[in-house]
Every structure is written in C-alpha cells, then in structure tokens.
Amino acid sequence: MTQTLPTKNHQRLQLSALNIPIRLLLGPGPSNAHPDVLKAMNTPSVGHLDPAFLTLMDEIQSLLRYVWQTENPLTIAVSGTGSAAMEATIANAIEPGDVVLIGVAGYFGHRLVDMAGRYGADVRIITKPWGQIFSLEELQSAIATHHPTIVALVHAETSTGARQPLEGVSELCRQHGSLLLVDSVTSMGGVPLYLDEWGIDLAYSCSQKGLGCPPGASPFTMSPRAIEKLLSRQTKVANWYLDMNLLSKYWGKERTYHHTAPINLYYALRESLRLIAEEGIENSWERHQNNAEYLWQGLEDLGMTLHVEEQYRLPTLTTVRIPEGIDGKAVARELLLEENVEIGGGLGELGGKVWRIGLMGYNSRKENVDKLLEVLGKKVKG
C-alpha cells in the first residue's frame, strides 16, 4: 500500500510499506538473530518500571554474568550500541590526567585512543601491525615504563580478526596498581572469556554479534576494584546518560528512574542470552571454533590466504586476503545484490586488502559456511 506524506514545502512523498530484503549477514556485524529472538522483540511493550520488566532486567544481569563468567554485581546492558558501552567504560573509569595505556593493533584500538583523549586521559600507546597481538613481555615492559592507571586492550579486534591473549595480563596490571579494561565486542558469546579468572576489571560488548541479537542493548561490567575507583572520583562522570552512579540505581535495588529503556530490545537480549545458557557457554564457544575451522579450510581450498596466524585467529571474525587482480569491493557488492549474502571489506590499513567474514551467534552454522564458500568460490575461481 502506498501512503502520501506531507513535506516542508507541502509537496507529497509517495511511500510504499516497508520492504527490506532478507540477507544472510556474514560480515563483521550485525549478524542474523535467531527466530525466537525476533519473536521476543515483537512482544508488546510494558513500562520501563513495570514489575515484569524489572524482573526481566534482573534476568539479563544474571545471564550476562554467566556468559562473561563473572560475579560482578554491576553488570548491565547499556541502552545503546557497542560504541555506547565503550564510551560508558571510558567515561566512568577515566578522570582527567589519568595515564591510560592502550594497545593499538587495529581500528578499534584507535577508537579507544580517541575516546580516552576526549575524557582528558594522558594517553600512552603501544602498537603492533594490524593482525598481530601483544606478547606478555611487550605488555610487561610498557606497563613498567608508563605506570598506567588503566591498561586497555581489544580482546577481539574486529578490523583484523586477531584475538589478543589475556591470560596473565591482570597480574602485570596489579603489580603497578592498574585496572585492566577489555573490549569484548566481537568475542562475547563466541570466544572463551573468563572475566573473573583473568582479572578483568572493565569490559563491554554489543548485542548484535556473538550474542545473536539486534543492535542497541550492550553489555557492560565493572569489577569491585573498578567501582572503588568510580566512587573515589574527584570529578563527576562527564557523560550524564552513561554515568554508572545513576544507572546502577535503575538496575539495582533502588529502581530509580533514569531513562526509558529500549524495552523490546531488552526482550530480545534476554531471549538471546537464554538461548546461549540453554546451549551452554562452553558449547557455544566450541560451535564457533568448529565452524570457523571449517570456514578456514574451505577458504584455503579455494586457494585463498588468511591474514592472521592460526593460533590468534578469532572464531567469530575471519580476515581473508583478497586475491590479486580481484576488485574486493565489487565482489562484496555482487554477493549482496545477487546472492543476498553480506561480507565486509577491510578497514583502515587493511582497506581494499581483505574481506571480513563473520560467523557469530545464530549465524555460526555449517550450512552458512557452505553457502558462502559456494557463492564466493564462483567469484574467485571465475
């Protein structure tokens, strides 16, 4: 049905009913959501202070703790995308003048640098080529040199497909009184991650990747050590909307109104987390690893080269080098428009050099790998 709408100059726009194509989303995110998650999102809304909704918020917190393997009381979903959860972490953890050491080995390390600088941090940077990781020895040297208040690392660098090992890093941080901040946007739900065991103080993620939920409700957590720092601030958190002093009262026992939560997105997040708990987090990690290895082998069988050394590859996001003589952007566009299959191009230093292939959440299935290898093979084989 076509509808006529007024515009500022009193002309009329002819708009038909919404009609969006169905795509298989195998790029860096978002990923497709499980049908049960989409069904949950279509549940009629209740008020954001309704007792039923407050119970659902409690369930989300418990499920997030399970998936992240943490007991942190302050574990919530930020009303916003993963970048909002990233900014919430920076805004609450950093005061002007704090020395923040950031590992940059890709696009999202640079984003951390930008955000931390905006909140007045004294930013110190260590770098590696895109697709490589930092060794414990490199981190130990940098921490001993800079004595940072916070050490920030990207666990799963979405721009490169590399997984930064985190075991042992918190011990180095504690030797110098530093907090450990971790970006788990592309790892939560699909890559082994033990926040408490690994001593991670601050972490954030998103809903639309390994959790298999639409974007807009993003996990955030603070350890008791991080909360100590928050409570001893000499200045107010500069971002009102993301101030955990206020948000914790909405998510906590007080249930003090702060903002109108994205109610239906929280329905979806709760359902996506329930499905992970039903599968078992270890089983989810194993499924992602098995399907990624199946993809890697298939890409190599097509004569293609993977960008990251195997032991450091993400099972959720694979970077594969675009073969010589092939227009990577044109191929990705053809897959999207002709086959309804989305893959991503490279960012930053890897722009035009790699494709980024995501197997995350509900999309991490063997039949999706088969479909991708079939349609991509036609393009690279000719």
Side-chain angles (χ1 to χ4, degrees):
M1 178 179 178
T2 300
Q3 184 178 8
T4 302
L5 299 177
T7 62
K8 287 184 178 179
N9 58 6
H10 304 293
Q11 294 177 343
R12 297 282 173 167
L13 294 177
Q14 299 293 321
L15 297 179
S16 59
L18 184 66
N19 181 24
I20 302 295
I22 297 174
R23 313 281 201 200
L24 176 58
L25 302 177
L26 299 181
S31 58
N32 297 99
H34 190 286
D36 288 354
V37 174
L38 296 176
K39 180 180 176 182
M41 194 165 63
N42 289 327
T43 302
S45 299
V46 295
H48 55 280
L49 292 172
D50 187 293
F53 187 67
L54 299 179
T55 297
L56 179 138
M57 290 170 67
D58 288 341
E59 292 171 347
I60 287 174
Q61 291 184 87
S62 295
L63 288 163
L64 287 174
R65 292 186 191 106
Y66 167 68
V67 174
W68 251 334
Q69 295 291 286
T70 183
E71 298 296 327
N72 290 344
L74 183 47
T75 301
I76 69 168
V78 171
S79 299
T81 62
S83 293
M86 175 189 280
E87 184 149 3
T89 307
I90 295 292
N92 285 273
I94 291 175
E95 285 196 272
D98 282 350
V99 175
V100 179
L101 176 66
I102 301 175
V104 178
Y107 185 90
F108 291 95
H110 283 295
R111 182 172 293 185
L112 279 169
V113 169
D114 189 358
M115 282 192 184
R118 290 170 186 246
Y119 283 91
D122 177 359
V123 178
R124 315 288 176 86
I125 302 170
I126 52 173
T127 62
K128 294 286 281 191
W130 287 35
Q132 296 185 21
I133 56 90
F134 298 95
S135 68
L136 269 181
E137 292 74 23
E138 289 168 327
L139 292 172
Q140 182 177 37
S141 175
I143 293 169
T145 299
H146 297 288
H147 300 283
T149 304
I150 295 169
V151 175
L153 295 172
V154 179
H155 181 223
E157 180 50 78
T158 316
S159 63
T160 69
R163 176 187 55 81
Q164 171 64 48
L166 297 172
E167 299 93 320
V169 179
S170 67
E171 286 83 349
L172 302 178
C173 291
R174 277 160 174 71
Q175 291 171 15
H176 297 274
S178 309
L179 297 176
L180 177 56
L181 183 160
V182 167
D183 177 324
S184 68
V185 165
T186 309
S187 56
M188 187 180 188
V191 183
L193 186 55
Y194 302 90
L195 293 198
D196 288 357
E197 184 179 330
W198 292 349
I200 296 167
D201 296 297
L202 297 134
Y204 57 87
S205 190
C206 71
S207 53
Q208 74 271 17
K209 298 192 180 188
L211 301 186
C213 174
S218 301
F220 167 98
T221 190
M222 297 182 85
S223 73
R225 291 179 74 234
I227 291 173
E228 261 183 59
K229 186 177 190 310
L230 172 65
L231 297 178
S232 64
R233 291 178 65 100
Q234 300 302 303
T235 58
K236 277 188 174 183
V237 173
N239 190 314
W240 180 90
Y241 184 66
L242 300 174
D243 184 348
M244 288 300 149
N245 292 299
L246 306 176
L247 283 168
S248 63
K249 292 180 172 61
Y250 177 42
W251 285 85
K253 293 179 181 178
E254 299 94 329
R255 298 302 190 184
T256 304
Y257 164 72
H258 181 263
H259 69 282
T260 301
I263 293 157
N264 292 63
L265 274 172
Y266 283 176
Y267 292 169
L269 179 62
R270 186 266 189 193
E271 190 64 8
S272 70
L273 292 167
R274 182 194 67 79
L275 290 170
I276 292 174
E278 186 177 82
E279 179 181 11
I281 188 60
E282 294 88 355
N283 294 329
S284 179
W285 294 338
E286 183 179 12
R287 170 171 57 86
H288 281 81
Q289 185 66 35
N290 290 342
N291 289 325
E293 290 177 2
Y294 182 62
L295 169 66
W296 301 340
Q297 185 60 58
L299 292 170
E300 289 174 348
D301 288 346
L302 290 174
M304 303 181 75
T305 302
L306 301 178
H307 182 66
V308 177
E309 189 179 343
E310 184 168 357
Q311 63 177 318
Y312 301 123
R313 284 179 204 155
L314 285 171
T316 46
L317 195 287
T318 296
T319 45
V320 58
R321 293 175 189 160
I322 298 170
E324 194 73 29
I326 287 182
D327 184 336
K329 185 178 289 188
V331 167
R333 182 171 175 79
E334 289 168 8
L335 292 184
L336 184 70
L337 299 182
E338 297 172 9
E339 307 288 351
N340 282 315
V341 175
E342 179 185 81
I343 61 173
L347 288 176
E349 293 181 14
L350 295 181
K353 298 177 181 177
V354 300
W355 287 309
R356 292 183 296 153
I357 300 170
L359 289 176
M360 297 180 279
Y362 176 60
N363 276 357
S364 180
R365 289 178 287 152
K366 185 175 180 289
E367 57 265 36
N368 288 341
V369 177
D370 289 335
K371 173 66 175 177
L372 175 65
L373 293 173
E374 175 192 352
V375 297
L376 185 59
K378 293 176 186 176
K379 300 296 180 182
V380 299
K381 291 277 189 179

